[in-house]
Amino acid sequence: MFARTSALVFLPQCGQVRNMVTLKDITIRLKSIKNIQKITKSMKMVAAAKYARAERQLKPARVYGNGAVALYEKAEIKAPEGVANKHLLIGVSSDRGLCGAVHSNVAKAIKAKIATLTGEGKEVMVVNVGDKLRNILQRTHGNYLLLSCKEVGRKPPTFTDASIVATELLNMGYEFDQGAVIYNRFRSVISYKTDEKPIFSIDTVANSENMGIYDDIDADVLRNYQEFALINIIYFGMKESTTSEQSARMTAMDSASKNASEMIDKLTLTFNRTRQAVITKELIEIISGAAAL
Amino acid sequence: MMAARFLRRSIPVLRHARCYADAPSGASQMSFTFASPTQVYFKEASVKQVDVPTLTGAFGILPAHVPTLQVLRPGVVTVFNDDGSAAKFFVSSGSITVNADSSVQLLAEEAFPLDQLDVAAAKANLEKAQSEMASASDEAARAEVQINIDANEAIVKALE
């Protein structure tokens, strides 16, 4: 009998460590997940507000951007085939994370394009707008990076930002023949698609076959026009990209909050079960202790 | 010579009648898009005529204008609608594209209807810019002040 009581005295401690976590551990975990849920909920609201504003600004920007590329589409400008021409890729993204697959989609598209172009023997350089893109590309394609832009994504992009990017790019002196701006085109709140818009150099446009129908163009006017068009296309890409990014962040934070609340439910159930188990154990101890007397 | 002309008039029109050059087919309307980065004024609208100030001079664009690319100067853009009314806007700079299918894209860096501009503020800015011209040190600064002066001069001229 004495032996049995002492055995019972020792058993509860090893029992709790072996079978389940203590109440204390569950409480700590529950508290931290509740905090995380508060944070993700508030991030979702902030992203929703920014998304509403970005979408409002996107409407005129889309008309503007489509007007800017209208010349290239209607005159069907393309660089001469077969010549080893130099390409320029401008990837538009941002600095901030927690927005789903936005950055990796653009990086994937850029890597695929670099692979095809270097396979054809053409020279490629990449400009990235946004730090996250630089992080992804630097490891494997670091020697293709021409220019990198930071501090993107905190405030909505303006025409001035696009003109700064274009000015720096032109000052780098890389004589490209054609290229593309790769960005995430906004389709709806839950979907976006990686897309690209073409850009051409002054010489390519001037020598393109259909340009003959355009009257009275001298080199100076064409250069001004091309520089303005480059800024417009970059601006268009940036506007679409922010809208996609904010909607992706909204979706990501929403699913994070939902996951967190699921975990909280499960943990609460486990907590209650553990609490009841502890009470039951104590009762058993008391009762069997009393019965032993 | 007189006889030949007389003969030509008297012969019924057996052969193909002489006429002026054919009117351009299909391009009786222009699809006009006028936008700034933050605002759209006209989107693929049908208008009668657009007057634009460009670096090479001001000209008016009607439907079936010859295709061209131009760069804008600070000045007033006048849009004549189909019903005859005219709308005036001040543009700072930008580009205009007239395509072969008679679509016109006027992209302005900044554009505002004239009634949103204040002539007194423009005059004050112009005087300030002119006084800055004297103190401008290097090429870039001087170019910026010159642009400032040009733009303000154009606003003042447009509003008077």
Side-chain angles (χ1 to χ4, degrees), chain A residues 110-131:
Chain A
I110 291 182
K111 285 183 187 173
K113 268 196 101 79
I114 292 180
T116 28
L117 288 173
T118 44
E120 293 170 2
K122 302 198 177 144
E123 202 183 313
V124 172
M125 284 301 241
V126 176
V127 169
N128 51 18
V129 178
D131 234 6

Side-chain angles (χ1 to χ4, degrees), chain A residues 36 40 54 65 74 78 88 90 99 137 143 149 152-153 161 197 206 225 240 246 258 262 264 293:
Chain A
I36 290 179
T40 53
K74 303 217 172 170
K78 43 182 188 286
L88 177 74
I90 303 182
C99 47
L137 289 176
N143 51 336
C149 310
V152 177
D161 298 334
K197 283 265 186 274
Y225 184 87
E240 293 263 1
Q246 297 299 348
K258 280 207 191 84
E262 259 183 52
I264 288 174
L293 290 172

Side-chain angles (χ1 to χ4, degrees), chain B residues 34-73:
Chain B
F34 175 21
S36 76
T38 46
Q39 201 163 0
V40 175
Y41 293 105
F42 290 88
K43 182 181 165 182
E44 289 173 7
S46 159
V47 298
K48 226 169 28 163
Q49 182 181 338
V50 185
D51 290 337
V52 289
T54 71
L55 280 183
T56 50
F59 59 100
I61 300 175
L62 287 120
H65 193 279
V66 63
T68 181
L69 305 174
Q70 293 292 346
V71 173
L72 301 176
R73 198 164 32 110

